[in-house]
Amino acid sequence: DLVRSRGLGDVYKRQVSTQSTGRRTGGRIINLTSISGRISARFAAAYSASKFATEAFSDSLRIELLTQNIPVILIEPAFTDTPIIAKIPEGLRKRIENAPKDLLEVYGGEEKIKSAFEEKFVAIKKMTAPVETVVEVIYQSYAALSPEVRYPIGRVAKFMYFLSFLPSEISDPFCL
C-alpha cells in the first residue's frame, strides 16, 4: 500500500499536471521525494521502494519533457523535522507487536530490534533538518534560471547521495 500510494500517487498526479502543462512549453515540475529514493536504509524498505519509484518516474518524465523545455526537479531531503518523525516509534512498536515471532527472531529478537531502532531514532532526531530549510530549497529550485535536476538537502542527504555512487560493499555499513 505504501508503494502504491506514495510511488504511484506521484505518477497519477504528474499525468494530470503534464496533460495541462504539455499544451504549452515552459514551466517546471518539482517532485518532493527523499534521499531514501537514492539509497536504502535499515527499517525503511517499503518507504525506500516508494521513493525509488518516484525517482525513476521523475527521471523518465524529465527525459520525455526535455523537448518541451519543462524541467523535472527532485527535492531530496533526508530527515525533516515534521510531526511524522514523532510518530515513528509508535509505528514501529505496532509493527513489532503484530510481527510473527519467527520473523522477529530472524532479526535477532524483539529486544534487539527495539534497541537498534531506539539507537537509530536518537541519531535521526539529531540529524533532522528544519522544514524551513526544505521550503527554501523548493523555492530556490522554482526560482532558478537553470535548475539542478536533484537537490539533496542537508549534510546527511548529501552524504547519502555520495554513498549512492559507491559500491554496495562500501556504502551498506553506513546505512545500518
Side-chain angles (χ1 to χ4, degrees), residues 4-23:
R4 189 176 330 146
S5 66
R6 290 185 185 261
L8 294 178
D10 287 335
V11 171
Y12 300 139
K13 286 187 292 190
R14 294 304 163 234
Q15 284 178 335
V16 170
S17 68
T18 54
Q19 287 170 0
S20 61
T21 306
R23 293 190 184 105

Side-chain angles (χ1 to χ4, degrees), residues 29-159:
I29 294 172
I30 301 172
N31 282 337
L32 180 59
T33 180
S34 168
I35 199 64
S36 294
R38 300 277 306 165
I39 189 165
S40 298
R42 189 177 187 187
F43 303 122
Y47 180 78
S48 290
S50 72
K51 295 306 174 181
F52 269 82
T54 300
E55 293 264 343
F57 174 72
S58 298
D59 287 341
S60 294
L61 187 61
R62 185 182 66 254
I63 293 164
E64 290 174 20
L65 296 176
L66 195 60
T67 59
Q68 296 178 37
N69 294 324
I70 301 172
V72 177
I73 301 161
L74 289 158
I75 307 297
E76 302 171 323
F79 308 107
T80 307
D81 192 13
T82 64
I84 200 165
I85 291 285
K87 295 178 183 179
I88 291 173
E90 180 63 20
L92 179 69
R93 187 187 62 72
K94 287 179 181 177
R95 283 191 183 150
I96 290 173
E97 285 176 1
N98 295 323
K101 295 299 176 199
D102 57 332
L103 179 62
L104 294 174
E105 291 308 315
V106 169
Y107 291 95
E110 186 173 330
E111 290 309 312
K112 184 173 182 180
I113 294 169
K114 284 180 180 176
S115 174
F117 183 77
E118 286 172 13
E119 183 178 310
K120 183 176 178 105
F121 187 71
V122 168
I124 287 170
K125 287 290 288 177
K126 290 179 183 175
M127 295 184 282
T128 58
V131 173
E132 294 80 10
T133 302
V134 177
V135 171
E136 176 65 27
V137 172
I138 292 170
Y139 177 76
Q140 288 171 3
S141 72
Y142 173 77
L145 293 176
S146 297
E148 302 290 327
V149 171
R150 288 182 166 76
Y151 288 84
I153 300 174
R155 290 182 316 206
V156 174
K158 289 174 182 169
F159 180 66

